Amino acid sequence: MRNYIIADNQELTRLALISLIKQEENKLYVANDKAGLVELLKEHENAIVLLDYTLFDFSDEDQLLIIAERFNLSEWILISDDLTSKFIRRVVYSSHQFSVVFKDGPLSEVRDALQAVNHHQRYISQRALETIITSEQQEESTPSILTETEKEIVRAIAQGKSTKEIAAERYSSVHTITTHRKNIFRKLGINTAHEVIKYALRAGLVDSSEFYI
């Protein structure tokens, strides 16, 4: 017998999941928002969470990963209509707690996911796997949007160096490095040095031991 938490605000899906889960002798709880989900996880730390991320009040995937890490005995089945390749890759590569299926996929996949996770095995649907593979192939065939100089500056920013320090190391003016920073932010579509650090980690430009927040 397992504890299940349904975190899906789509009534039809919620009723269908309840029906599937109640076919076995399981305990079932329903969360209506992120705060309610956290409270339930405090009581049932090893629960299986069935979550539609796109319909819940998470601001970004970082919040989701933080909660999953906090309750590291929990297991999650992400069930949504549409998840971006970036999101799928991030959660799948960040933690083995996450399984992924799609609402518009066959019902058998949801059943298979429930059975797998009930036995502490991760389940990634065929569509999710194909999404990950296609995304990686596209990245490999697409040249980096940053120049080598910009990558070096990104690495230095991630290591906690100031614009003045970077300029001194590169025998450049502060104005030149500031211009590079502006170009980097524009190309990456970001606004803060913290976001530069996150990009540097994802792109493999620095190791987690090399940077400071």
Side-chain angles (χ1 to χ4, degrees), residues 52-54 79-84 88 102-104 127:
D52 187 335
Y53 172 82
T54 61
I79 307 177
S80 297
D81 284 319
D82 188 29
L83 295 170
T84 66
I88 295 173
F102 289 91
K103 284 184 178 179
D104 57 357
R127 177 178 163 190

Side-chain angles (χ1 to χ4, degrees), residues 145-207:
I145 59 176
L146 298 182
T147 66
E148 288 305 314
T149 296
E150 289 168 342
K151 287 180 182 178
E152 290 173 5
I153 292 173
V154 164
R155 188 179 294 111
I157 294 171
Q159 291 169 339
K161 297 175 182 176
S162 67
T163 300
K164 186 175 180 180
E165 289 172 328
I166 297 171
E169 286 184 359
R170 299 185 61 82
Y171 302 101
S172 298
S173 68
V174 171
H175 173 73
T176 297
I177 301 304
T178 300
T179 300
H180 279 306
R181 283 176 62 107
K182 289 180 179 178
N183 288 335
I184 290 166
F185 281 32
R186 175 180 54 79
K187 286 182 177 182
L188 298 180
I190 59 179
N191 300 290
T192 67
H194 184 69
E195 290 175 296
V196 172
I197 293 171
K198 291 168 68 175
Y199 169 81
L201 285 168
R202 289 196 302 268
L205 296 178
V206 293
D207 185 81

Side-chain angles (χ1 to χ4, degrees), residues 61-75:
E61 62 262 32
D62 285 333
Q63 280 193 343
L64 174 61
L65 291 170
I66 288 169
I67 291 175
E69 183 178 3
R70 177 181 174 187
F71 301 101
N72 58 14
L73 297 179
S74 64
E75 296 172 276

Side-chain angles (χ1 to χ4, degrees), residues 98-153:
F98 291 99
S99 297
V100 183
V101 295
F102 289 91
K103 284 184 178 179
D104 57 357
L107 183 60
S108 60
E109 286 191 342
V110 179
R111 287 198 179 100
D112 289 345
L114 287 168
Q115 184 176 5
V117 176
N118 191 45
H119 290 87
H120 305 290
Q121 298 173 350
R122 181 155 75 166
Y123 182 91
I124 308 297
S125 71
Q126 184 63 33
R127 177 178 163 190
L129 286 172
E130 290 173 354
T131 299
I132 293 171
I133 293 169
T134 300
S135 174
E136 291 177 343
Q137 289 174 339
Q138 288 174 345
E139 283 191 5
E140 288 174 0
S141 63
T142 303
S144 174
I145 59 176
L146 298 182
T147 66
E148 288 305 314
T149 296
E150 289 168 342
K151 287 180 182 178
E152 290 173 5
I153 292 173

